[in-house]
């Protein structure tokens, strides 16, 4: 009877119910006490049971225990059945959750559409969709607001969504949520552009089905004119052999001898017009993405959503596999079509596929990144180098993962004080990224920026400036001026120009960077404070102390409100304010003397120190997310002691696991073992007085 009570209470606890004779908070304690009481009563009763009918009593106890066990098994099975029904499992005995992607497809025939199994499959898909809309998309928008996601083009936006399990058919929902936040208008613009290009790709597939082989270039040019050109009535430029001119019947008949297909040409594709094209795109976007596109032409799309036609041309060419001639295209001409037959160079097949991964090399790469985040730069460098060797053995000489390894190695070389080797590795990464990903890929643009930084560190100022101009030009093609990443490029260019003495040109780039950071990060952001400080330095070098004081005062106000008066940056800004104030007072006194005494007074030389290469390089490092943190000996001792404790705890845990492991088994090879910090490994990293720690900008 006691065991039956215990089993009933266990079932009640599993079902989340309360015991009939105990409150819910004392249920677990009562179960444990009952178990211990039953064990003690059995142990006390065994030595006292020495009667003659002992075998009969033992058989009765065994039968009672078996009955209790069967009751417990039945109760546990009932609990599992209830849980499976609650979560929508396809099986009643285990948690079996499978999503049927074709459950709502109208063209798919299902064996039993009215059955319970089919109903469960539909409910699972509905629950997953509700979870995506309520949790995943909201989390994506939150990450965008925190600037942990930076979408450059449609491909990078697609990767960011897929990393969070969001399908591209939810792009309309994402765009609607992005439109509610003003700082996210650049991502909203990319989302709308991607929906237009994807809908145009769907139209392009249907459009090309009825095109003859000899008219491919003319058909593609006509499609692009209807999509992007401002010319209201474009006509395809077909070869004369196809006899579209009805006034030359004799010539057409003569030509038809050489081209028999000319008499049976399907000219439906040639009748496509820009209004028809954009009407189809609006219907496709509404049907596929549930998004209302408020534009009926390319010009209205540019005005309504702030798109640029060059970016649309790039996206549609990448998605459809079209190669066009490299030249300047006039999209705004209302009297002439933008594209001609000669502008279409080639058409490539676009095949969706899954890139295989080298698992061991990828694990080494991940372990190296973990080491770098922990501050063990040399150990991380060794792991990344090992991953590079494995990637070379698996993939060959050219691959995107190899370029990522080279970029990481170059950054580690630079942090560890070897800018020459960093430049060498980064040059390889740039060449590989250009060859594998393309010259206008977002990763290639980032490679150019890193290469410019390492060139400036190696005293190659002109090469660094050319690389930054190249990165900015490609960024203009990909996403245009109005993007927060453009502020990073402009800040780098402005600093390099400031270092070479081009103050006026430097101020133009720094002003643009300030406006972009203020728009997308807010007026009280630390990025805005840094931009004000850069402008103050530039104005002071030009001798305009009034403007320099104004910008440095903004810097001090932001640092004081965000970091406090005792922070190092706030104190540095205060010292800079005092220095600029002294220079401004000296200049004003001198000007007053000139006004009073005429031209006899002499202007003393102003104490304007040109920026040194080291100070400019330090600011460029800060902008690009590389900060060198000086640590005292006391901090180094604390850091070393902490990692010694962590290493000892990890070693004891490994020994316990080895002791638990059976004797016949061999321990599997794990790649993540180098992440365990041991005292001997941690010593070389913290032995120097300064430790370089990479931080995300």
């Amino acid at each position: 009877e006691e065991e039956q009570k215990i089993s009933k209470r266990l079932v009640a606890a599993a079902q989340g119910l309360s015991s009939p004779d105990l409150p819910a908070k004392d249920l677990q304690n009562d179960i444990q006490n009952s178990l211990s009481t039953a064990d003690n009563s059995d142990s006390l009763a065994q030595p006292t049971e020495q009667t003659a009918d002992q075998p009969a009593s033992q058989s009765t106890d065994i039968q009672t225990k078996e009955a209790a066990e069967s009751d417990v098994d039945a109760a546990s099975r009932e609990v599992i059945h209830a849980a499976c029904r609650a979560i929508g499992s396809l099986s009643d005995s285990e948690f079996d959750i499978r999503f049927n992607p074709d459950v709502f497809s109208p063209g798919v025939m299902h064996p039993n559409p009215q059955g319970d199994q089919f109903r469960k499959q539909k409910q699972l898909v509905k629950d997953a969709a509700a979870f995506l809309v309520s949790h995943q998309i909201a989390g994506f928008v939150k990450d965008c607001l925190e600037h942990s996601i930076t979408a450059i083009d449609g491909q990078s936006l697609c990767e960011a969504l897929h990393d969070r399990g969001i399908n591209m058919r939810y792009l309309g929902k994402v765009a609607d949520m992005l439109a509610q936040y003003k700082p996210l208008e650049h991502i909203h613009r990319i989302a709308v552009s991607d929906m237009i290009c994807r809908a145009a790709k769907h139209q392009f597939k249907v459009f090309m089905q009825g095109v003859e082989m000899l008219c491919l270039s003319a058909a593609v040019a006509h499609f692009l004119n209807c999509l992007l050109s401002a010319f209201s009535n474009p006509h395809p430029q077909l070869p004369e052999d196809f006899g579209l001119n009805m006034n030359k019947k004799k010539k057409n008949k003569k030509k038809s001898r050489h081209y028999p297909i000319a008499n049976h040409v399907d000219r439906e594709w040639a009748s496509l017009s820009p209004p028809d094209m954009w009407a189809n795109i609006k219907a496709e976007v509404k049907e596929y993405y549930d998004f209302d596109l408020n534009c009926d032409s390319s010009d209205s799309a540019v005005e309504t959503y702030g798109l640029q036609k060059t970016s649309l041309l790039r996206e549609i060419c990448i998605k459809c596999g079209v190669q066009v001639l490299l030249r300047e295209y006039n999209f705004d001409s209302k009297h002439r079509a933008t594209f001609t037959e000669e502008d279409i160079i080639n058409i490539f097949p676009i095949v969706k596929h899954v890139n295989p991964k080298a698992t061991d090399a990828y694990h080494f790469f991940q372990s190296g990144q973990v080491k770098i985040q922990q501050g063990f730069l040399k150990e991380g460098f060794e792991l990344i180098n090992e991953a590079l060797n494995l990637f070379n053995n698996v993939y060959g000489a050219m691959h995107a993962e190899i370029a990522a390894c080279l970029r990481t190695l170059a950054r580690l070389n630079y942090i560890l004080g070897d800018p020459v080797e960093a430049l060498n590795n980064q040059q390889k990464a740039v060449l590989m990224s250009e060859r594998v990903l393309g010259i206008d890929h977002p990763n290639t643009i980032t490679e150019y920026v890193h290469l410019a930084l390492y060139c400036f560190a190696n005293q190659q100022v002109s090469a660094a400036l050319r690389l930054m101009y190249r990165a900015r030009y490609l960024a203009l093609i990909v996403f245009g001026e109005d993007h927060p990443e453009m502020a990073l490029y402009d800040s780098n260019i402005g600093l390099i120009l400031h270092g070479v003495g081009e103050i006026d040109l430097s101020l133009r780039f720094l002003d643009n960077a300030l406006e972009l950071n203020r728009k997308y990060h807010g007026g009280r952001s630390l990025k805005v404070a840094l931009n004000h400080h850069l402008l103050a330095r530039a104005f002071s070098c030009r001798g305009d102390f009034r403007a320099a004081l104004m910008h440095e005062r903004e810097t001090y106000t932001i640092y004081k409100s965000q970091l406090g008066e005792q922070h190092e940056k706030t104190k540095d800004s205060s010292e800079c304010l005092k220095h600029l104030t002294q220079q401004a007072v000296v200049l004003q006194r001198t000007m007053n003397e000139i006004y009073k005494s005429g031209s006899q007074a002499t202007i003393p030389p102003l104490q304007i120190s040109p920026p040194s290469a080291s100070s400019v390089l330090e600011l460029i490092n800060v902008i690009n997310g590389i900060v060198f943190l000086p640590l005292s000996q006391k901090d180094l001792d604390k850091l070393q002691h902490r990692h010694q404790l962590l290493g000892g705890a990890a070693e004891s845990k490994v020994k316990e696991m080895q002791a638990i492991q059976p004797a016949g088994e061999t321990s599997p090879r794990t790649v993540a073992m180098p992440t365990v910090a041991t005292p001997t490994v941690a010593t070389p990293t913290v032995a120097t007085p300064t430790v370089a720690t990479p931080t995300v900008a």
Side-chain angles (χ1 to χ4, degrees):
E1 291 177 357
E2 189 68 21
E3 289 175 353
Q4 289 179 1
K5 283 185 179 181
I6 294 170
S7 63
K8 290 180 181 179
R9 291 170 181 171
L10 286 174
V11 172
Q15 293 178 347
L17 304 176
S18 61
S19 177
D21 54 348
L22 285 176
K25 61 181 180 179
D26 298 332
L27 178 62
Q28 189 68 23
N29 296 330
D30 181 70
I31 292 173
Q32 295 178 357
N33 295 332
S34 300
L35 287 173
S36 60
T37 304
D39 294 338
N40 294 333
S41 62
D42 292 340
S43 61
L44 292 174
Q46 285 176 2
T48 58
E49 294 283 341
Q50 300 295 336
T51 59
D53 54 349
Q54 185 174 4
S57 61
Q58 288 180 356
S59 62
T60 305
D61 293 340
I62 292 174
Q63 292 176 0
T64 305
K65 289 183 180 179
E66 290 178 354
E69 290 177 359
S70 63
D71 292 340
V72 172
D73 293 340
S76 61
R77 283 195 298 269
E78 183 62 30
V79 171
I80 294 175
H81 293 340
C84 291
R85 288 192 299 269
I87 66 171
S89 176
L90 300 180
S91 175
D92 292 337
S93 60
E94 60 180 355
F95 294 154
D96 186 8
I97 301 176
R98 302 179 187 179
F99 296 101
N100 187 358
D102 300 325
V103 71
F104 287 103
S105 299
V108 179
M109 300 296 295
H110 298 279
N112 187 11
Q114 304 299 329
D116 186 63
Q117 194 80 357
F118 186 73
R119 182 186 58 79
K120 289 182 179 180
Q121 293 176 0
K122 293 180 68 174
Q123 187 61 38
L124 278 177
V125 174
K126 290 180 181 179
D127 294 341
F131 177 77
L132 282 177
V133 174
S134 61
H135 291 79
Q136 294 299 103
I137 296 179
F140 172 80
V141 174
K142 181 181 178 182
D143 292 340
C144 293
L145 287 172
E146 295 174 354
H147 300 284
S148 59
I149 298 176
T150 304
I152 303 297
D153 58 352
Q155 182 179 357
S156 59
L157 178 62
C158 177
E159 292 175 357
L161 291 174
H162 284 171
D163 289 341
R164 286 155 180 81
I166 304 173
N167 305 100
M168 292 308 295
R169 60 177 173 268
Y170 292 95
L171 194 55
K173 300 292 184 183
V174 174
D176 289 335
M177 293 190 69
L178 291 172
Q180 302 175 8
Y181 302 96
K182 184 69 173 177
L184 300 181
E185 64 178 13
H186 62 288
I187 305 181
H188 177 263
R189 189 185 311 119
I190 294 173
V192 174
S193 173
D194 200 46
M195 283 189 288
I196 292 175
C197 292
R198 287 175 180 270
K201 180 187 70 173
H202 299 161
Q203 298 297 320
F204 183 78
K205 290 180 180 179
V206 180
F207 174 81
M208 295 298 291
Q209 296 299 319
V211 178
E212 302 79 11
M213 291 298 296
L214 295 178
C215 296
L216 284 179
S217 297
V220 175
H222 180 62
F223 183 86
L224 293 178
N225 284 325
C226 293
L227 179 64
L228 299 174
S229 179
F231 187 45
S232 60
N233 192 18
H235 294 285
Q237 298 177 352
L238 292 178
E240 295 180 359
D241 302 329
F242 278 81
L244 291 181
N245 190 354
M246 301 304 295
N247 296 326
K248 300 180 180 179
K249 295 182 179 180
K250 294 182 179 180
K251 185 177 180 180
N252 294 340
K253 293 180 180 179
K254 184 178 179 181
K255 292 295 183 181
S256 65
R257 297 175 185 175
H258 301 282
Y259 298 97
I261 198 176
N263 294 328
H264 308 283
V265 173
D266 184 8
R267 303 187 188 94
E268 183 179 356
W269 62 269
S271 62
L272 182 66
S273 63
D276 296 337
M277 162 78 73
W278 280 93
N280 294 334
I281 289 177
K282 289 178 64 177
E284 183 79 14
V285 169
K286 179 61 178 176
E287 179 183 359
Y288 201 83
Y289 301 105
D290 194 21
F291 183 79
D292 294 323
L293 197 62
N294 300 322
C295 58
D296 53 2
S297 65
S298 59
D299 293 335
S300 61
V302 170
E303 294 176 1
T304 305
Y305 299 105
L307 309 179
Q308 62 175 8
K309 294 184 178 181
T310 306
S311 301
L312 289 174
L313 175 61
R314 173 183 175 272
E315 289 286 342
I316 196 65
C317 288
I318 291 176
K319 294 182 185 303
C320 298
V322 177
Q323 183 182 10
V324 297
L325 183 67
L326 180 61
R327 71 176 181 89
E328 293 290 336
Y329 292 96
N330 185 12
F331 295 99
D332 300 327
S333 176
K334 297 184 180 297
H335 306 287
R336 185 179 180 182
T338 304
F339 300 93
T340 61
E341 183 181 359
E342 290 78 13
D343 293 329
I344 309 302
I345 303 299
N346 206 343
I347 299 178
F348 297 92
I350 303 298
V351 181
K352 290 185 177 181
H353 62 282
V354 178
N355 293 320
K357 283 188 176 182
T359 308
D360 291 344
Y362 183 73
H363 285 323
F364 269 108
F365 185 71
Q366 293 286 359
S367 300
Q369 288 183 332
V370 171
K371 278 289 186 182
I372 295 171
Q373 293 296 328
Q374 293 176 351
F376 297 99
L377 302 182
K378 293 183 179 179
E379 290 74 15
F381 181 87
E382 293 174 358
L383 290 172
I384 298 293
N385 200 9
E386 183 65 26
L388 177 62
N389 295 331
L390 291 176
F391 278 134
N392 282 321
N393 293 332
V394 175
Y395 293 136
M398 289 288 177
H399 198 270
E401 299 291 342
I402 299 177
C405 284
L406 289 172
R407 178 176 65 249
T408 307
L409 289 177
R411 197 174 185 88
L412 287 175
N413 282 324
Y414 181 71
I415 292 173
L416 293 174
D418 191 359
V420 177
E421 188 64 24
L423 180 61
N424 185 23
N425 286 328
Q426 188 61 31
Q427 285 177 342
K428 297 177 184 178
V430 168
L431 293 175
M432 197 170 299
S433 183
E434 287 179 344
R435 188 76 60 86
V436 175
L437 302 175
I439 59 174
D440 59 343
H441 195 272
N443 289 350
T444 307
I445 299 175
T446 305
E447 305 289 2
Y448 283 136
V449 176
H450 292 168
L451 184 60
L453 170 63
Y454 304 146
C455 285
F456 189 85
N458 284 278
Q459 309 299 324
Q460 301 178 15
V461 181
S462 59
L465 196 56
R466 288 198 302 269
L467 286 167
M468 286 305 308
Y469 280 142
R470 172 68 174 172
R472 193 180 195 279
Y473 167 73
L474 294 175
L476 285 176
I477 295 176
V478 175
F479 50 75
E481 286 273 2
D482 194 9
H483 196 278
E485 283 295 308
M486 190 61 69
L488 174 66
Y489 307 146
D490 288 346
S491 298
N492 281 292
I493 294 174
L495 272 175
I496 296 175
L497 291 172
H498 184 207
V500 297
E502 295 290 339
I503 305 299
D504 294 334
L505 188 57
S506 171
L507 287 174
R508 292 174 56 188
F509 286 100
L510 293 177
D511 277 330
N512 189 36
L514 175 61
E515 293 300 324
L516 289 174
N517 281 328
R518 185 181 291 163
K519 178 179 180 180
Y520 290 107
H521 295 276
R524 294 299 174 184
S525 172
L526 296 180
K527 290 180 178 292
V528 176
L530 181 58
N531 279 120
H532 279 297
H533 178 67
L534 298 180
L535 284 169
R537 286 167 55 96
F539 278 115
S540 65
C541 289
R542 201 175 67 168
D544 190 355
F545 293 106
R546 185 183 298 273
L549 273 173
M550 181 184 67
H551 285 288
E552 191 61 37
R553 194 175 291 112
E554 289 290 333
T555 302
Y556 176 76
T557 303
I558 295 174
Y559 281 155
K560 183 179 178 180
S561 61
Q562 297 291 335
L563 304 176
E565 293 186 0
Q566 302 301 322
H567 197 271
E568 182 181 358
K569 290 184 178 295
T570 309
K571 294 179 180 179
D572 293 342
S573 179
S574 177
E575 293 296 329
C576 186
L577 268 178
K578 292 179 181 178
H579 177 72
L580 291 176
T581 304
Q582 292 175 0
Q583 296 297 317
V585 169
V586 171
L587 180 61
Q588 188 63 37
R589 287 178 180 175
T590 305
M591 297 301 295
N592 292 337
E593 291 293 332
I594 292 176
Y595 291 149
K596 289 181 180 180
S597 58
S599 60
Q600 288 81 11
T602 59
I603 301 177
L606 298 176
Q607 298 179 3
I608 301 176
S609 58
S612 61
S614 60
S615 62
V616 174
L617 181 60
E618 181 181 355
L619 288 174
I620 292 178
N621 290 333
V622 172
I623 289 175
N624 290 279
I626 301 176
V627 182
F628 294 90
L629 300 175
L631 298 177
S632 63
Q633 188 62 36
K634 184 178 180 181
D635 295 333
L636 293 175
D637 294 338
K638 288 182 178 179
L639 184 62
Q640 185 175 3
H641 180 65
R642 177 175 177 272
H643 285 295
Q644 284 177 356
L645 294 177
L646 291 176
E651 289 180 355
S652 61
K653 187 67 176 176
V654 170
K655 291 180 180 179
E656 291 178 2
M657 295 301 294
Q658 291 176 353
I660 295 173
Q661 188 177 9
E665 297 181 0
T666 58
S667 59
R669 181 176 61 89
T670 59
V671 184
M673 282 302 295
T675 58
V676 178
T678 58
T680 57
V681 176
T683 302
T685 306
V686 298
T688 57
T690 59
V691 177
T693 304
T695 58
V696 179

